[in-house]
Amino acid sequence: MLVDVAEIQIQSGNGGNGLVSFRREKYVAAGGPDGGDGGRGGDVVFMADARLLTLMDFRYKKEYKAQNGGDGKGSKCTGSSGEALVIRVPVGTIIKDAETDRAIADLNRDGARFVAARGGNGGWGNVHFATPTRQVPKFAKPGERGVSRRIKLELKLLADVGLVGFPNVGKSTLLSVVSGARPKIADYHFTTLEPNLGVVSVGEGDSFVLADIPGLIEGASEGIGLGHAFLKHVERTRLLLHLVDVSGIEGRNPIEDFDTICKEMELYNPQLAEKPQVVVANKTDIITDPDLYEAFKKEMEARDLLFFEISAATQKGTRELMAFASGCLKELPMPEQEIFEDVPMEVGDEDSFSIEREEEVYCVTGPRAERIVASTNFSDYESLQFFQRSLRDSGIIDALEEAGINEGETVRMCDLEFEYMK
């Protein structure tokens, strides 16, 4: 089964906490602070792996978390850094932010890597807070929290040439006779429910990847049937072979069929309409209405489109068609590498805070407020002074005054409550 869409939750590692520690050795009466810093949390990294073919594994495991950084140690030793979590995905996977559906990376080559969530920085140990006037700091900083975000994975097939056309026009048959692929083939609509890939060899050292894109129908661009799921695979190809059933057995008009598929591709993505394509008239060995076929052929020639006559079932013209497609690929430019976007390291701003008034209490919430409270030792006078200075430096005091706080009113930060004093 081809699983080409999945949503997962990722979480980078938290930074380790800084340590409050003092040097204690024989004959050293007051060695001073020596608390080390916390280690950095592990990143979450996506890596393209050519050995993987589907996103099936992500159906069963939905949450991925990197390792946290270790806490700081004595003797100014930094805690161990968290190990990065490497998530392997198939080549051709597009990574999107599930909240905005915005593409943030395109892993279209083997070994390509993308850091989707950075680990939190480690907190400072108390050695950083020693000053000439504060020689015994009894507080340290906690590590920064890791990033949590929801990621959407989409797999688009990487093929040089794509076979498009209505259901049952012979795409699977053509793929089977020109490559080693063995797609399921039968004489009914929508035999192919998922794309198939095959490698076509046209000579020594000359080959390309051919994709059988499942049959499209009218309304595919609006998601009717499996339209969106199929059309997105067409985007990666450099050349399209547009198969049309010209036998007339089913009473269809080949010109109308051709125009319908072209319209659906253009509606889905206007760039698809600009892709080079070769019109391939299939089933020419069983034509029942020669006049209809001649009208179709003249129309394609009038539109100045490349035209080939084949019979996939008898292999008539298939070798020549593949050789021509190979020649076209040599003239067509390779697709440009998608630019990796520099994803914000944090989903939320670590310095952000908000103030709300609940009855007579001003509530300060947000990452910045949590970090200030967590790094304060409220039983230590010097740490309390540092706390007050942090409130001023962070802008929380100014924001409280703008919110209309008066002296003596209550402020709540996390589980801490105190009276506001100018």
Side-chain angles (χ1 to χ4, degrees), residues 15 25 81 84 183 216 227 245 260 288 338 369:
E25 296 180 24
S81 295
L216 301 175
D245 180 357
T260 298
T288 60
E338 294 275 352

Side-chain angles (χ1 to χ4, degrees), residues 74-95:
S75 301
K76 302 180 183 179
C77 293
T78 301
S80 59
S81 295
E83 204 172 307
L85 174 63
V86 179
I87 303 175
R88 297 179 183 275
V89 295
V91 175
T93 299
I94 290 179
I95 301 172

Side-chain angles (χ1 to χ4, degrees), residues 114-302:
F114 180 73
V115 180
R118 298 280 185 189
N121 291 322
W124 283 356
N126 68 334
V127 68
H128 290 278
F129 301 100
T131 66
T133 58
R134 188 199 301 131
Q135 298 183 11
V136 189
K138 298 180 180 178
F139 58 95
K141 277 192 173 183
E144 292 181 355
R145 295 173 303 175
V147 177
S148 177
R149 67 188 311 172
R150 191 149 191 84
I151 293 292
K152 183 178 181 180
L153 304 174
E154 288 189 1
L155 175 61
K156 291 186 178 182
L157 295 180
L158 291 176
D160 301 300
V161 180
L163 299 174
V164 298
F166 265 91
N168 204 29
V169 296
K171 298 188 300 298
S172 295
T173 301
L174 178 59
L175 180 67
S176 69
V177 300
V178 299
S179 73
R182 292 294 176 264
K184 181 180 177 182
I185 301 172
D187 189 19
Y188 52 89
H189 292 301
F190 284 104
T191 302
T192 307
L193 295 179
E194 56 192 43
N196 291 296
L197 291 177
V199 177
V200 179
S201 178
V202 293
E204 186 176 351
D206 192 0
S207 62
F208 61 88
V209 178
L210 179 66
D212 167 20
I213 310 298
L216 301 175
I217 60 174
E218 190 169 4
S221 61
E222 299 173 0
I224 294 177
L226 297 177
H228 284 170
F230 294 164
L231 280 166
K232 71 182 178 185
H233 293 298
V234 183
E235 293 178 310
R236 291 292 181 102
T237 58
R238 290 191 285 153
L239 176 68
L240 298 179
L241 300 183
H242 192 150
L243 266 67
V244 182
D245 180 357
V246 297
S247 67
I249 292 178
E250 296 186 10
R252 305 183 65 88
N253 187 311
I255 298 176
E256 293 178 0
D257 285 357
F258 177 82
D259 289 340
T260 298
I261 298 300
C262 290
K263 179 182 177 182
E264 293 303 325
M265 290 193 296
E266 183 176 11
L267 289 173
Y268 176 75
N269 184 347
Q271 292 182 346
L272 294 184
E274 299 176 4
K275 281 187 178 291
Q277 64 173 305
V278 179
V279 181
V280 182
N282 191 28
K283 304 185 182 181
T284 55
D285 57 320
I286 52 173
I287 293 176
T288 60
D289 189 341
D291 292 337
L292 184 64
Y293 171 62
E294 287 300 323
F296 171 71
K297 185 177 180 179
K298 289 181 180 179
E299 179 64 23
M300 296 300 103
E301 291 173 350

Side-chain angles (χ1 to χ4, degrees), residues 19-22 33-37 73-77 125-128:
L19 180 69
V20 177
S21 174
F22 297 91
D34 70 347
D37 300 340
K73 301 177 182 178
S75 301
K76 302 180 183 179
C77 293
N126 68 334
V127 68
H128 290 278

